[in-house]
């Protein structure tokens, strides 16, 4: 146990600790010469009295390593055997291969028709039995004993494959260049034989391959053509109509589904939106046939649009005819049994209930993005009817918990409008009451 410090020694110790924390004094060092962090609390840096040796150290904070000598650099000698094989069978050895280090049931050799016990031939060498003592961490280290030279072999194998592939590609390019040179030489000989009247045409054909098409980039080294997303000579879709309330343009997919030029003549349109092609021609018919093929396949029928399109088209046509006939038959039978044919001539459901099931999709600004905007339903009551010289309707003014007319601020329904004079009179009465 450390001796009790005097007041002066205690003050000097505190000043030294403050200087070490500020960085003006060098930090304390342990027995091995390593610096001790001055910001570590005292109850951690000081050792207990029963193991305190009087030196500054953090050794008491680490668990004692009793198994340090159990770590080893040795590893199992896989596949190696000890010494030369025996010349005759030994008692107690494996009956199959003749090795004395394992029993017959533990033998990994191929089972022989007659084992080494009876033939006395081809006796295998004894295995090397190793008892490697490993620590806790070494037992659980998945890379313990791994030879890094094995990974180097993988790199060498891949480099050899890449080298062979590169040489093969170079040979193919050389063959193509040789063929092109032979063809050019043959064409030149033919031109010299029949005259040089088409020199200009030959030059145009010679340099035509090197020129890039609009929207394409030809790389002569890789002999590949890269298609750009959009030809730069084409007009961007959002430039057809600069009105902010025009068709919506999606910059992420570069698509404009609606028609940006709705006010122009449809016969002279330059661009009518992406949905123009999607919902025109036989596109909808193809989609209906595909849907019919999927539904028929789910019900067990052998119908596939891509495998047999003619069969799918014919079955879809017959299905529509039978469906129409069935609907007519059901309609006639129901009317004959229950009657009510006169109700079929009623007005449209939208006119009766002022409702519809048409899908309409709006944007954030309130514009119609998809579908048609429904017509506003009108009230059965009369609107904007002004009586007794009023310019506003009853209920346009609210004050003191009562409704009135805004034009004269009168709270009496059906009264005659007094205009500004009534408002001034009301204000004067309010002042007198105050």
């Amino acid at each position: 146990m450390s001796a009790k410090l005097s007041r002066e020694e205690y003050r000097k110790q505190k000043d030294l600790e403050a200087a070490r924390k500020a960085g003006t004094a060098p930090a304390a060092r342990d027995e091995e010469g390593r610096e001790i962090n001055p910001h570590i609390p005292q109850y951690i840096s000081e050792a207990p009295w029963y193991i305190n040796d009087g030196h500054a150290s953090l050794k008491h904070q680490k668990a004692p390593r009793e198994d340090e000598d159990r770590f080893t650099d040795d590893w199992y000698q896989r596949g190696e055997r000890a010494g030369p094989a025996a010349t005759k069978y030994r008692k107690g050895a494996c009956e199959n291969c003749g090795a004395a280090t394992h029993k017959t049931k533990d033998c990994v050799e191929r089972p022989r028709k007659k084992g080494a016990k009876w033939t006395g031939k081809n006796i295998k060498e004894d295995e090397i039995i190793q008892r490697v003592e490993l620590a806790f961490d070494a037992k659980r280290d998945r890379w313990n004993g791994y030879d890094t030279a094995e990974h180097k072999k993988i790199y060498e194998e891949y480099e050899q494959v890449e080298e062979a592939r590169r040489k093969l590609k170079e040979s193919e390019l050389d063959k193509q260049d040789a063929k092109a040179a032979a063809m050019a030489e043959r064409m030149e000989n033919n031109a010299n034989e029949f005259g040089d009247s088409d020199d200009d045409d030959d030059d145009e054909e010679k340099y035509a391959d090197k020129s890039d098409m609009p929207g394409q980039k030809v790389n002569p080294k890789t002999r590949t053509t890269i298609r750009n997303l959009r030809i730069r000579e084409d007009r961007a879709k959002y430039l057809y109509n600069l009105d902010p309330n025009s068709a919506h343009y999606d910059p992420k997919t570069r698509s404009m589904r609606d028609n940006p030029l709705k006010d122009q003549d449809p016969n002279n349109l330059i661009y009518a939106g992406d949905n123009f092609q999607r919902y025109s021609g036989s596109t909808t018919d193809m989609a209906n046939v595909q849907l019919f093929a999927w539904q028929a396949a789910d019900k067990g029928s052998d119908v596939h649009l891509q495998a047999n399109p003619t069969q799918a088209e014919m079955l879809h046509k017959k299905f529509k005819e039978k469906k129409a006939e069935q609907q007519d038959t059901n309609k006639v039978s129901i009317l004959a049994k229950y009657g009510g044919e006169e109700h079929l001539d009623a007005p449209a459901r939208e006119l009766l209930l002022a409702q519809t099931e048409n899908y309409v999709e709006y944007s954030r600004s309130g514009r119609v993005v998809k579908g048609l905007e429904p017509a506003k339903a009108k009230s059965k009551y009369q609107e904007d009817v002004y009586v007794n010289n009023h310019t506003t309707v009853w209920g346009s003014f609210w004050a003191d918990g009562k409704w009135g007319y805004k034009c004269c601020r009168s709270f009496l329904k059906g009264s005659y409008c007094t205009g500004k004079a009534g408002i001034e009179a009301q204000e004067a009465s309010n002042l007198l009451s105050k």
Side-chain angles (χ1 to χ4, degrees):
M1 191 170 182
S2 60
K4 189 175 181 180
L5 301 177
S6 63
R7 182 177 297 179
E8 187 67 22
E9 292 175 348
Y10 181 77
R11 186 181 62 80
K12 289 182 179 179
Q13 184 178 358
K14 288 297 181 182
D15 293 344
L16 180 60
E17 291 178 2
R20 285 174 176 172
K21 290 181 180 180
T24 56
R29 295 182 178 272
D30 56 6
E31 298 175 353
E32 300 177 359
R34 291 177 296 188
E35 292 184 355
I36 299 177
N37 191 345
H39 298 281
I40 296 178
Q42 187 177 5
Y43 68 90
I44 294 178
S45 60
E46 285 190 358
W49 60 270
Y50 49 85
I51 59 173
N52 190 4
D53 54 358
H55 298 285
S57 175
L58 294 176
K59 192 175 182 179
H60 61 278
Q61 293 291 342
K62 299 179 182 179
R65 301 298 297 269
E66 299 176 356
D67 54 353
E68 290 182 355
D69 55 342
R70 298 179 63 187
F71 282 99
T72 177
D73 295 334
D74 298 334
W75 194 243
Y76 300 108
Q77 300 178 7
R78 301 180 184 273
E80 296 186 8
R81 293 181 178 267
T87 56
K88 62 179 181 178
Y89 180 77
R90 293 161 292 177
K91 185 178 180 181
C94 177
E95 297 178 358
N96 184 45
C97 66
T101 51
H102 64 268
K103 298 297 182 181
T104 306
K105 64 177 182 179
D106 299 328
C107 185
V108 295
E109 291 285 333
R110 178 181 59 85
R112 303 179 184 178
K113 190 174 183 180
K114 288 186 179 182
K117 179 179 179 180
W118 296 276
T119 60
K121 298 178 181 179
N122 196 15
I123 297 176
K124 294 294 182 180
E125 302 88 348
D126 297 341
E127 293 95 345
I128 298 177
I129 304 298
Q130 286 181 276
R131 299 192 180 277
V132 180
E133 294 292 337
L134 298 177
F136 181 86
D137 295 336
K139 287 180 181 178
R140 289 155 181 80
D141 187 7
R142 59 181 297 194
W143 298 106
N144 190 14
Y146 178 73
D147 188 9
T148 55
E150 295 293 330
H151 193 64
K152 188 177 180 181
K153 293 180 182 178
I154 299 176
Y155 275 98
E156 293 175 355
E157 181 181 354
Y158 272 91
E159 288 177 357
Q160 292 175 0
V161 172
E162 290 296 329
E163 183 68 21
R165 185 178 295 145
R166 186 179 60 81
K167 289 183 179 179
L168 180 61
K169 190 172 183 180
E170 287 180 356
S171 61
E172 291 179 356
L173 292 176
D174 293 340
K175 290 180 181 178
Q176 293 178 3
D177 294 340
K179 288 182 180 179
M183 186 178 294
E185 185 178 358
R186 195 181 307 115
M187 292 176 62
E188 185 177 358
N189 295 335
N190 294 336
N192 294 333
E193 183 177 354
F194 295 102
D196 298 336
S197 59
D198 298 335
D199 289 343
D200 297 338
D201 297 340
D202 294 343
D203 292 340
E204 291 179 0
E205 293 177 359
K206 184 188 301 182
Y207 296 106
D209 297 336
K210 297 182 180 179
S211 62
D212 296 345
M213 294 292 291
Q216 293 182 350
K217 179 183 178 183
V218 180
N219 192 347
K221 295 182 179 179
T222 58
R223 303 178 189 278
T224 57
T225 303
I226 304 171
R227 175 70 179 177
N228 293 335
L229 294 176
R230 178 173 65 86
I231 302 176
R232 297 305 167 187
E233 286 78 4
D234 293 347
R235 188 192 305 177
K237 297 176 183 178
Y238 54 83
L239 294 179
Y240 283 107
N241 192 349
L242 301 180
D243 187 6
N245 297 324
S246 177
H248 174 69
Y249 175 73
D250 187 10
K252 185 176 182 180
T253 58
R254 295 185 179 178
S255 61
M256 182 179 285
R257 298 175 180 86
D258 202 2
N259 182 11
L261 305 173
K262 293 183 178 180
D263 300 335
Q264 295 188 6
D265 186 9
N267 298 325
N268 299 327
L269 276 180
I270 304 174
Y271 176 71
D274 296 340
N275 287 343
F276 176 76
Q277 295 292 340
R278 185 178 298 175
Y279 300 121
S280 63
S282 59
T283 308
T284 54
D285 298 338
M286 179 65 70
N288 294 331
V289 175
Q290 179 67 78
L291 181 61
F292 166 75
W294 287 339
Q295 294 175 350
D298 291 340
K299 295 179 181 179
S301 301
D302 188 11
V303 181
H304 198 283
L305 180 61
Q306 283 74 30
N308 198 342
T310 307
Q311 179 193 15
E313 183 71 27
M314 294 299 296
L315 291 177
H316 184 239
K317 187 176 180 181
K318 292 180 181 179
F319 170 74
K320 290 194 298 183
E321 293 176 355
K322 289 184 179 180
K323 185 177 180 181
E325 293 177 0
Q326 188 67 26
Q327 288 179 352
D328 295 340
T329 305
N330 295 340
K331 180 178 178 181
V332 172
S333 61
I334 291 173
L335 292 177
K337 186 174 183 179
Y338 299 103
E341 188 175 359
E342 64 276 6
H343 299 291
L344 298 178
D345 299 332
R349 187 178 180 87
E350 295 82 3
L351 299 178
L352 290 175
L353 304 178
Q355 296 178 356
T356 178
E357 295 182 356
N358 293 334
Y359 176 76
V360 182
E361 183 176 341
Y362 295 90
S363 65
R364 292 184 177 181
S365 60
R367 295 188 300 108
V368 177
V369 177
K370 187 176 182 180
L372 299 176
E373 186 173 6
K376 296 181 180 179
K378 294 184 178 181
S379 175
K380 65 180 181 180
Y381 302 100
Q382 293 182 351
E383 297 180 0
D384 299 335
V385 177
Y386 307 113
V387 296
N388 295 336
N389 202 29
H390 286 286
T391 57
T392 57
V393 296
W394 167 261
S396 59
F397 180 68
W398 169 267
D400 299 332
K402 295 182 292 184
W403 293 102
Y405 296 99
K406 188 177 181 181
C407 54
C408 60
R409 296 185 182 179
S410 174
F411 299 105
L412 185 61
K413 187 175 182 181
S415 63
Y416 192 81
C417 181
T418 56
K420 293 183 178 180
I423 297 174
E424 294 175 356
Q426 183 182 9
E427 291 177 352
S429 63
N430 291 337
L431 291 174
L432 289 175
S433 61
K434 289 181 179 178

